[in-house]
Amino acid sequence: MPSRAPTATTSNESASPAHRPLSLAARAAIATGFVLAGFLGLVGLTLSQANKQRALSALHDRLQNFAIAYITHTDVNRYGKLLPPIDTLPDPNFSGPGSGLYAVAIGDRGYRWESSSAIGRDFSFLKPLEPGQSQFVGPIDTRMGRLYYYSYGVALDMEAGKSVRLTMTVAQSEDQLEGENAVFRHTLVIWLSILGVMLIVLQLLLLRWSLTPLRKVASDMTRVERGDSEQLDSQYPMELTGLTERINAFINNEREQRTRYRHTLADLAHSLKTPLAVIRSQLESPTADEPTRLSSVLDQVRRMNELVAYQLSRAATSGRPTFASAVPIAGHAEDLVQSLEKVYASKNVLCEFDIADGAVFYGEQGDLLELLGNLLENAFKWAGHRVLLVVKMQPQAGRQRPGLLLCVEDDGPGIAEDKIEKVLQRGVRGDERVQGHGIGLSIVQDIVHAYQGELTVDRSTEFGGARFCVRLAAS
């Protein structure tokens, strides 16, 4: 019975699409919206509470004024009987039944008076107060609903030095106060909402204006990718200057690396033409004897091997990386010198060091070894008995990485001034040799150029021989 082959599911089909992070503008807008909503909510709550306290204070003053007005219009006859207040009402609502504004007076000898609005209402919870005593209470639950009331106790004088006690109470329902507060809160919400919308719109405009430099960077990067521009050449704010400078350095390094690869391949192809032509002519020559032909072919093969090794060394030069770790120089210099002292043991060369404490090379370790190795080997080759290595750091204000000065001196014959320019010329092909110096100097020149540095050759003032100085600028 034939079996069915299992169905394979590719990772692309099973994997869910990655969630794209929010843009900076969206993040800022959302964060600002939450903060603004919280801030306006807190402002609204604070203003609402402040208005409630203000309303309570105003209610207290209002009820107090009503109570004093009623007390002022209350009198006592000669028999000590309290007379109801004159019908001059401090507010028309006291005459309307169930208006929510009530006045009640209780006094000696069972005296009790109520305003027209309080007739039929239950105010049994009221208690008489001592003369001069007052109280503001509320809201309390009553059969008429929740009330605020103000009570004030007085003693009304009569003849023969006697007095009659009276407690005047003015009450108002909570609905009236809450109605005023509700109107205030409604108005407050409307205006805070309008203010919030205006602030959000303003914030979005400010965000768009603030993020314009970042959009400019992205636009310039697109122009660089299309080949319309060599690098990011616009004016950017101070906060983006460091970023754009490093991007430009990265672009330049990448472009120089490609150029170096092309030149190396072209030089290698050109350099191999001659030995290949010699090998071909030897193989096609019918008159050459076999030992001579074999010796010639082996010489050309050995030469081709040297050319390939040299050009690969040139192509491996990485240049100054935009993000490079610091490579200590002293330890690598000591290891190289120990190796060279064994190779040139017969010359008994003494190598001295003048290396600053903490001296480092910002780049690839391989480039440092090539640079030091070729300069020191050249010095050992031509020195009489002494070699000096000088390394100094050169800090510069406003730069994160200091510059570097590296000099190698020897007490050999030196280099004539008329040959210095030829020694330092660029583009030396692999099949060319500078008299007295190997191809290592060309590799040094390539490394220095890749790191945007400077290589100078002059005569050592201390030893009298050649002095090679490499200067790498601060970055």
Side-chain angles (χ1 to χ4, degrees), residues 133-163:
Q133 185 180 0
S134 65
Q135 65 178 7
F136 178 69
V137 182
I140 62 171
D141 293 321
T142 69
R143 295 180 180 180
M144 299 164 287
R146 294 170 65 83
L147 294 178
Y148 289 91
Y149 70 88
Y150 176 83
S151 297
Y152 187 61
V154 296
L156 301 178
D157 296 332
M158 56 182 296
E159 298 179 358
K162 296 182 179 180
S163 62

Side-chain angles (χ1 to χ4, degrees), residues 105-118:
I106 55 177
D108 293 343
R109 302 178 184 178
Y111 175 80
R112 186 180 185 88
W113 171 85
E114 297 177 348
S115 65
S116 300
S117 59

